[in-house]
Amino acid sequence: MTVQDVLDEIRKRPGTGEVIPIIDPATEGQLTEFTDCGPEAVDQAVARAKETAESGVWSGMADYERARVLWRIADLIDENADILAELESVNAGIPPAQAQIITKVGSEWFRYYAGWCTKIDGIARDVNTGGLTGIESHQHVYTLREPYGIVGLIFPWNGPVFNFCAKLAPSLAAGCSSVVKPAEETPLSALVLDRILAEAGVPEGVVNLLLGYGHTAGAAITAHPDVEKVAFTGSTEVGREIVHASASSNLNKITLELGGKSPVLIFEDADLDMAIPMASFGTFIHSGQACVCGSRIFAQRSVYDRVVEGIANMANSMQLGGPKEQGAMIGPLISQKQLNRVLGYLDQGKADGVELVTGGYRLDRKGYFVHPTVVTNVDPDSSRLFQEEIFGPVVTILPFDDDDEAVALANNSTYGLAATAWTRDLGRAHRVAKRLKAGTVGLNCQMQFDHSMPFGGYKQSGWGYESGKAGIETYLQTKIVWAQM
Ligand code: NAD
C-alpha cells in the first residue's frame, strides 16, 4: 500500500456531507479530499457497534484470544511502520524521524494493553450486614468489571497514529465496541490502522471509523443515546461542548484529555546546560503543537538573562521545514486556521507591548511555518499570551525570586496538564512537585511519557486518566453482586 493508494481510497469513501479538503501543511497544496460521513452514517455505525456489543463477539471472546489479537495489531503496525510514518509526515507535517518514533510508540500501546486483557478483575468479600441490625445476615459480595458497550473515541490532529492507538488499545483490551472519529485534518493514517484491526482479527462492526467534521460527525457521536462513554482528546472549548452534549442527552460518561499551558521552572542551581536545551525542545517541538509543551518558562532572577538568551539561541538554531526537507527538525503548523490563531496571539501581544526576543513572524515561504518565538515582559494576570493555550511555537519567559513566587506564577493558570522543575536541590524538587497543580510533573526531565503510567489533567486540562492501569479502567464499569449465603 502506498500513500497514493490511501489518498485515492479516502476520496472514494461514501458520505452525505460537505467535501473536506486535506492539505499538506508544509506546502499548502491539496493532497486529496473526502466527504463528511453525515449523521446517518453515525447512526448506522452505532447500530453496528451495538449489535457486536450485544452479541458479545468481542467482549465475550476468551481473554487470552483478545490479547493475541491486540498483539497481532502491534505486529502489523510494525510491519506497516513505513507507510504509517509517511502518512503522519505528509498529513501532519511531522519530520520523518519523529514520525517513525510515534509509530513505534503506537504499536507498543497495543502490546502493553494486550497484557491487560487477562488481568481485568474485581474484588470479593464475605460480608455480615447483620452487625447493624443484630440479625445475622451473611452475603458473599463480588464485583465484575464490565466494558462499556459502545464508546465514542474522538481525537485531534497533533499525533494521529499516537492518538488512534492510545484510545483503541485500552478500549479493545477492555472489550468495548466503538465508533472512532479522527480529526478532519488528519484522517489518512486511520484508514491504514482500521485495515490493520480487521486483518489482525477484530470482528467486523466492533470498531467503526467515521470521517467528518467535529460539529457534524463528532457532535452526532457525543449526543447519540446509545453511546455509553465518550473518550475525548482535544481542546478545552470542545471538551466543554461534550459535557453539554452529555448533559442534554443520555448523561453518557466522559473522559477528557484537554489543553494545557504548562509551566517550566528553572531554579538558579539547575544544570543549565541540560535545562535550557530540554526546555527549548519541550516548547518548540512539533511547532508547539503538543499538549504538554512547556509554553510558560520561569527562571530565577540570577539566571534569568542566561535562560532567555539560551532559549532564544536554541529557537534561532532550530531548522524548520517540511518532511521532505533535509535536516528539518520542526515541521509546520497544521492548517491555515491554526496559523491565523498563532499570528493572532502574536499581534495581540505586540499591541499589549510585550517584548519579542526572537521570532514573532511567519516564514516567508509556502507552508504554515512560524519562527520559534520567545516573549518576555508579559503581564501574567492580564496577557492572553500568558493565560491562553496558543498551541504554537511561542513561549513566554518571566523571572521569579523565590520558591513561593515560582509556584504562584506556575499555578496562575486555568490549565493543569503538566509542569517541570529544574533544580539540583532534591528537597526543593519534591516540595515544589507537591505544590504544583498539574497532572504530570517532571523533575529535571521534560515531556516524559510511558504506556505504563497514568496521564491526565488537573483543573481545566481534563477529567479522568488514560494510559497505565488507569487507562483500562477508563473503559470499564463496576457491577457489585450480592449473594445471600
Ligand atoms: P479540537 O478540540 O478542535 O478537536 C479535537 C477533535 O474533536 C477533532 O476530531 C474534532 O473534529 C472534534 N470535535 C470538534 N468539535 C466537536 C464537537 N462539537 N463534538 C464532538 N467532537 C468535536 O482540538 P484540536 O484543535 O484538533 O487539537 C488541539 C487541542 O487538543 C489542544 O487544545 C491540545 O492541548 C489538545 N490535546 C490534548 C491532549 C491531552 O492528552 N491532554 C493531547 C493532544 C491534544
Side-chain angles (χ1 to χ4, degrees):
M1 193 178 219
T2 64
V3 168
Q4 192 56 51
D5 293 336
V6 180
L7 299 180
D8 293 341
E9 184 183 328
I10 200 164
R11 210 185 276 275
K12 293 185 202 132
R13 272 179 83 95
T16 57
E18 265 180 59
V19 173
I20 304 176
I22 301 182
I23 305 296
D24 176 346
T27 65
E28 300 174 50
Q30 181 167 332
L31 290 164
T32 185
E33 60 191 23
F34 68 100
T35 310
D36 188 316
C37 64
E40 304 80 14
V42 175
D43 286 340
Q44 288 158 8
V46 173
R48 278 196 303 277
K50 193 173 178 180
E51 236 177 88
T52 61
E54 286 174 355
S55 74
V57 63
W58 182 246
S59 57
M61 188 184 274
D63 294 346
Y64 68 88
E65 190 50 52
R66 219 165 59 241
R68 283 183 188 171
V69 174
L70 263 73
W71 200 271
R72 276 202 292 276
I73 295 171
D75 288 345
L76 286 168
I77 291 176
D78 286 345
E79 280 172 34
N80 288 277
D82 287 344
I83 174 80
L84 284 168
E86 214 181 322
L87 287 168
E88 198 86 339
S89 285
V90 165
N91 202 174
I94 298 173
Q98 292 165 31
Q100 286 282 354
I101 295 170
I102 293 171
T103 306
K104 258 203 113 23
V105 172
S107 64
E108 290 308 330
W109 274 105
F110 282 95
R111 290 201 182 85
Y112 175 77
Y113 280 106
W116 271 107
C117 294
T118 51
K119 294 164 196 71
I120 296 170
D121 47 26
I123 55 168
R125 284 193 71 203
D126 285 333
V127 176
N128 177 0
T129 51
L132 296 175
T133 59
I135 305 161
E136 283 287 296
S137 176
H138 293 274
Q139 283 102 19
H140 179 64
V141 192
Y142 58 91
T143 60
L144 295 172
R145 306 305 315 279
E146 297 183 327
Y148 288 101
I150 307 167
V151 294
L153 309 175
I154 303 175
F155 42 86
W157 42 260
N158 70 332
V161 173
F162 178 95
N163 286 322
F164 186 103
C165 297
K167 296 250 180 297
L168 260 303
S171 63
L172 282 170
C176 299
S177 295
S178 56
V179 285
V180 182
K181 197 200 89 60
E184 53 273 28
E185 295 88 347
T186 54
L188 296 177
S189 54
L191 263 63
V192 177
L193 289 163
D194 192 41
R195 201 178 271 225
I196 285 175
L197 299 188
E199 197 181 331
V202 176
E204 202 183 329
V206 170
V207 175
N208 301 274
L209 183 63
L210 291 164
L211 303 186
Y213 282 122
H215 65 270
T216 56
I221 292 170
T222 57
H224 201 291
D226 288 335
V227 173
E228 294 166 47
K229 164 113 202 194
V230 173
F232 171 79
T233 299
S235 61
T236 297
E237 296 75 39
V238 174
R240 214 168 256 123
E241 286 180 36
I242 286 171
V243 173
H244 282 302
S246 165
S248 53
S249 61
N250 63 347
L251 282 180
N252 55 27
K253 312 291 187 290
I254 306 173
T255 295
L256 302 173
E257 296 289 354
L258 305 177
K261 190 78 183 174
S262 299
V264 178
L265 308 182
I266 303 180
F267 291 89
E268 60 193 359
D269 63 352
D271 176 354
L272 294 185
D273 292 338
M274 190 73 173
I276 289 172
M278 290 303 289
S280 308
F281 170 80
T283 193
F284 297 129
I285 192 73
H286 200 11
S287 269
Q289 301 171 112
C291 55
V292 290
C293 274
S295 49
R296 294 182 300 141
I297 294 177
F298 304 98
Q300 200 150 10
R301 202 169 296 274
S302 57
V303 293
Y304 176 73
D305 288 343
R306 210 175 132 196
V307 168
V308 172
E309 191 189 345
I311 305 259
N313 287 342
M314 288 290 299
N316 292 335
S317 72
M318 289 176 179
Q319 192 180 326
L320 275 75
K324 295 200 177 98
E325 294 169 47
Q326 203 65 29
M329 172 183 182
I330 298 184
L333 295 168
I334 188 69
S335 61
Q336 181 71 49
K337 184 174 152 208
Q338 193 62 18
L339 176 73
N340 294 345
R341 176 187 165 92
V342 173
L343 295 178
Y345 275 107
L346 291 173
D347 286 346
Q348 171 82 52
K350 287 172 199 163
D352 292 346
V354 303
E355 189 183 331
L356 283 171
V357 182
T358 189
Y361 55 88
R362 176 187 188 176
L363 297 196
D364 185 15
R365 55 160 289 173
K366 276 281 178 202
Y368 308 122
F369 294 94
V370 168
H371 191 285
T373 301
V374 176
V375 180
T376 58
N377 195 26
V378 176
D379 181 343
D381 293 317
S382 65
S383 167
R384 290 182 57 208
L385 264 183
F386 180 91
Q387 290 288 350
E388 296 177 17
E389 183 184 47
I390 300 174
F391 224 52
V394 181
V395 66
T396 60
I397 311 184
L398 288 178
F400 67 84
D401 286 310
D402 55 25
D403 294 15
D404 286 347
E405 193 187 5
V407 169
L409 281 165
N411 288 340
N412 180 6
S413 174
T414 55
Y415 293 107
L417 194 60
T420 303
W422 293 94
T423 172
R424 286 192 174 98
D425 179 337
L426 202 57
R428 168 194 274 153
H430 291 290
R431 280 194 304 277
V432 165
K434 204 166 158 54
R435 295 174 70 190
L436 289 169
K437 297 200 186 322
T440 294
V441 176
L443 298 177
N444 298 313
C445 58
Q446 207 167 325
M447 295 192 99
Q448 299 299 317
F449 178 82
D450 191 76
H451 313 88
S452 63
M453 297 307 292
F455 178 79
Y458 277 25
K459 298 199 261 185
Q460 294 184 31
S461 287
W463 283 2
Y465 293 85
E466 288 197 324
S467 194
K469 184 181 180 195
I472 191 135
E473 308 251 327
T474 295
Y475 297 98
L476 296 167
Q477 47 195 340
T478 303
K479 180 181 285 168
I480 302 101
V481 182
W482 291 75
Q484 185 67 39
M485 300 297 281

